Amino acid sequence: MSDVSTAVDRLVGGDKATLARALTAVENARPQARELLAALQQHTGGAHVVGVTGAPGVGKSTLCNALIREWRARGRRVGVIAVDPSSPLTGGAVLGDRVRMHEHDEDDGVFIRSLAARSNAGGLAASTTDVITVLDAAGMDCVLVETVGTGQSEVDIARTVRSTVVVSAPGLGDDVQAIKAGILEVADVLVVNKADLPHAEQCARQLRAMLSLREVRAWQPPVIMTSAQTDQGLQDLADALQRHNDESNVEDAAHGSIAFADWPQRLLPRDRFAQHLGIELLAGGGGHASVRMRVQAEHISFNGTCHGGVTFSLADTAFGLASNSHGVVAAAIDAHITYPRAVRINDTLTASAVEESRGRRFATYRVIVTRTDGATVATFTGTVAIIGDKQNRDSQK
Amino acid sequence: MSVKDNAVPAKVLVTKIGLDGHDRGSRVVAAYLRDAGMEVIYTGPWQRIPAVVALTQEEDVDVVGISSLATDHLIVPKLVRALEEAGLAHVRVVVGGIVPDDEVATLQERGVSKVFHPGSSREEIVATVQRLAQEARRERPEI
């Protein structure tokens, strides 16, 4: 436990070695990862998270490289997540996006991490959200996520980042076709890259024409022509992203949808049963929560080990706090637990819950309960229905 | 530990330092390692030692493989020292390519874990890198 809090201090303080190891821990879902992520939540929210997607060959990596250069010229610290595909047969991967970003290798203000998509479809690795959390907490001003270029099925990215850049390029045959469904709708900024090639203007016109057919929204995605080779349009792109971030922040404030990191702190004291069991909060907020309790004599079953219901209650409490941490009431509708190891009297148990998915109506969570020695004593999955009422911030009702 | 060490793919950096641009060998080896289920960061030739150190740290790799066909192996001990100075002593360094027999011992004394000569089999390379990656994992701090 002290391991994790020391790591959090070092990471937030800007230590690159700790950052690198923390990223590996969350990428590989190591036992400390949940606690670490829960503890990092309160340090997040400072980064502008930008996703870059588009068909293979449109120049995503080269564009990312140029955008990093532009951000560095503006004094921003930049974290980069470059996702490449894994082999479905062997699980192996060659991660080559960095080949186009070498000019930033020795820059202390840039931290690049390659991620293999592993078995995840949708153009992202399963751990992407957690990796973003860690880079955000490490003090990056901008976090850039480059997806696997797979074409139409990449709407995942839009759910993961603040601003989505969809990149297209002229001369790729029916390239507009490739982005018209699905990912065109999720674009916050459209880029026509390789603007130095013939027909670039025509490609941009087609995109503008398609956008003009959509209903008018508060944010109209601009179409920006860039040449990552010559830096043409890169300032415009950085400006457009800044504008999108500013406007999204205003909108968030208006809708009250900014997650309050302190919801678990407010909710746990209202939970009479958790109080009865002596459960205390370690960290929580933004879909995560970690809680702890010590197993006492009154928690022991007829077999002389901790009653499964006690372990379940601890996991359930973490689940409840995590699922209600967005400030919106959520009610459990299903839960499942597995107990791989026994728990004995005087063991201290830690339950860490993390959000696996959250849609409009339902959300799912995974909870891991560990003993003092770090061994996993229970794994728990649960689903909530999102009721949608705002949590009451103060009263004891 | 809920995840077994061997459930997580070994992470390997395949690169070339120095001025030699013959990168065919490194590409073939990168493909071997990928096909054995490892995650390979591939960079292409002409890397500087500080860049390789930064990359090793940022990507948190277990093994660094240096391809050397034109005496670049002579600067590998410098890389090994730079990795140690950066707190990355657990990372294993291997060299593949043209290394005169009488220089192999020197490299190994200076911290190179293994030298692969031309004709090394795919099986030998994969098994050795896999074993070295596991050693590196055991030595590195968790967070």
Side-chain angles (χ1 to χ4, degrees):
Chain A
M1 238 157 305
S2 61
D3 273 9
V4 168
S5 58
T6 318
V8 169
D9 289 347
R10 283 200 305 255
L11 191 145
V12 173
D15 181 51
K16 274 191 143 182
T18 308
L19 170 57
R21 288 196 295 267
L23 291 172
T24 305
V26 301
E27 185 186 2
N28 296 335
R30 303 295 299 173
Q32 317 87 330
R34 295 299 152 217
E35 200 186 328
L36 180 70
L37 286 165
L40 288 176
Q41 279 303 324
Q42 57 173 309
H43 301 285
T44 61
H48 179 198
V49 186
V50 174
V52 174
T53 186
V58 296
K60 289 185 296 295
S61 299
T62 314
L63 184 74
C64 286
N65 184 52
L67 183 57
I68 298 166
R69 197 189 305 137
E70 178 61 32
W71 276 336
R72 289 300 292 147
R74 298 177 183 208
R76 310 280 163 77
R77 292 187 69 206
V78 185
V80 182
I81 305 165
V83 187
D84 263 323
S86 295
S87 157
L89 297 178
T90 67
V94 170
L95 309 167
D97 286 332
R98 285 193 80 125
V99 170
R100 293 186 180 71
M101 302 181 195
H102 278 316
E103 66 179 86
H104 308 295
D105 281 346
E106 293 175 53
D107 180 350
D108 258 356
V110 180
F111 192 106
I112 305 176
R113 187 58 173 261
S114 309
L115 278 189
R118 298 195 175 160
S119 55
N120 207 44
L124 287 176
S127 58
T128 306
T129 310
D130 294 338
V131 171
I132 291 172
T133 299
V134 176
L135 286 169
D136 187 350
M140 299 299 166
D141 301 306
C142 302
V143 174
L144 187 61
V145 184
E146 182 190 340
T147 68
V148 175
T150 50
Q152 298 211 7
S153 62
E154 298 191 78
V155 280
D156 268 10
I157 184 76
R159 283 198 280 264
T160 307
V161 303
R162 162 56 52 100
S163 310
T164 305
V165 179
V166 174
V167 189
S168 170
L172 290 179
D174 208 351
D175 55 291
V176 173
Q177 173 71 24
I179 65 161
K180 78 173 178 193
I183 61 175
L184 183 61
E185 276 111 66
V186 304
D188 298 309
V189 176
L190 282 152
V191 165
V192 177
N193 197 22
K194 309 190 186 183
D196 46 316
L197 293 184
H199 308 302
E201 184 57 51
Q202 185 187 344
C203 184
R205 263 204 310 276
Q206 281 174 325
L207 289 173
R208 288 193 189 102
M210 277 196 290
L211 286 172
S212 70
L213 298 175
R214 304 195 321 179
E215 57 178 306
V216 177
R217 301 179 192 177
W219 172 261
Q220 281 296 89
V223 177
I224 297 173
M225 293 177 65
T226 62
S227 168
Q229 297 282 349
T230 65
D231 273 358
Q232 177 198 333
L234 262 305
Q235 292 192 7
D236 296 342
L237 175 57
D239 289 344
L241 288 169
Q242 184 66 52
R243 262 198 328 276
H244 181 255
N245 192 35
D246 294 344
E247 292 198 15
S248 306
N249 284 337
V250 171
E251 204 177 310
D252 279 355
H255 289 80
S257 63
I258 290 176
F260 288 100
D262 63 349
W263 276 116
Q265 287 86 327
R266 288 170 182 276
L267 295 175
L268 187 60
R270 299 185 213 170
D271 191 321
R272 302 273 303 270
F273 184 55
Q275 299 305 311
H276 174 70
L277 287 171
I279 294 175
E280 54 176 335
L281 183 69
L282 294 173
H288 295 271
S290 291
V291 292
R292 178 168 66 186
M293 69 171 282
R294 184 147 166 261
V295 179
Q296 320 265 2
E298 68 261 33
H299 301 143
I300 300 303
S301 77
F302 52 74
N303 277 331
T305 54
C306 178
H307 195 291
V310 173
T311 313
F312 183 94
S313 299
L314 181 70
D316 188 49
T317 302
F319 166 51
L321 292 173
S323 59
N324 283 278
S325 66
H326 299 284
V328 174
V329 176
I333 55 171
D334 178 68
H336 176 87
I337 194 164
T338 305
Y339 302 103
R341 285 188 190 84
V343 176
R344 311 206 180 273
I345 190 164
N346 289 332
D347 278 345
T348 296
L349 299 183
T350 304
S352 296
V354 63
E355 194 165 85
E356 299 249 294
S357 70
R358 189 175 174 95
R360 207 176 307 182
R361 304 277 307 281
F362 300 101
T364 59
Y365 295 80
R366 179 174 301 273
V367 187
I368 293 176
V369 185
T370 52
R371 241 169 18 198
T372 324
D373 63 357
T376 299
V377 296
T379 56
F380 171 111
T381 52
T383 304
V384 290
I386 297 164
I387 308 296
D389 298 337
K390 292 232 168 100
Q391 287 285 5
N392 190 335
R393 247 180 117 62
D394 302 303
S395 92
Q396 294 274 327
K397 266 183 261 175
Chain B
M1 303 275 160
S2 64
V3 180
K4 291 204 176 67
D5 277 344
N6 57 11
V8 174
K11 209 162 171 189
V12 185
L13 171 63
V14 175
T15 186
K16 283 176 73 68
I17 49 182
L19 297 174
D20 168 37
H22 298 91
D23 61 352
R24 173 63 67 90
S26 61
R27 285 169 190 248
V28 170
V29 170
Y32 281 177
L33 302 178
R34 175 200 62 201
D35 291 346
M38 300 183 212
E39 291 179 353
V40 184
I41 317 287
Y42 177 77
T43 71
W46 308 304
Q47 304 303 312
R48 282 161 40 85
I49 285 177
V52 173
V53 173
L55 224 138
T56 302
Q57 181 176 64
E58 288 181 10
E59 299 286 358
D60 200 3
V61 299
D62 308 306
V63 179
V64 175
I66 302 290
S67 160
S68 168
L69 301 171
T71 72
D72 296 323
H73 65 275
L74 295 172
I75 53 174
V76 173
K78 236 185 201 171
L79 170 67
V80 173
R81 259 202 318 281
L83 287 171
E84 283 167 6
E85 281 162 15
L88 298 165
H90 65 280
V91 176
R92 300 299 194 259
V93 177
V94 300
V95 176
I98 312 293
V99 177
D101 289 339
D102 55 354
E103 285 169 17
V104 171
T106 319
L107 287 186
Q108 289 181 334
E109 276 160 28
R110 295 187 185 180
V112 172
S113 298
K114 174 77 186 174
V115 176
F116 296 106
H117 287 298
S120 299
S121 71
R122 171 198 290 251
E123 290 73 21
E124 185 196 358
I125 295 171
V126 165
T128 308
V129 172
Q130 201 77 266
R131 175 176 58 78
L132 292 172
Q134 278 168 15
E135 284 178 23
R137 286 257 163 103
R138 276 196 294 273
E139 283 176 29
R140 92 187 243 302
E142 270 283 345
I143 42 174

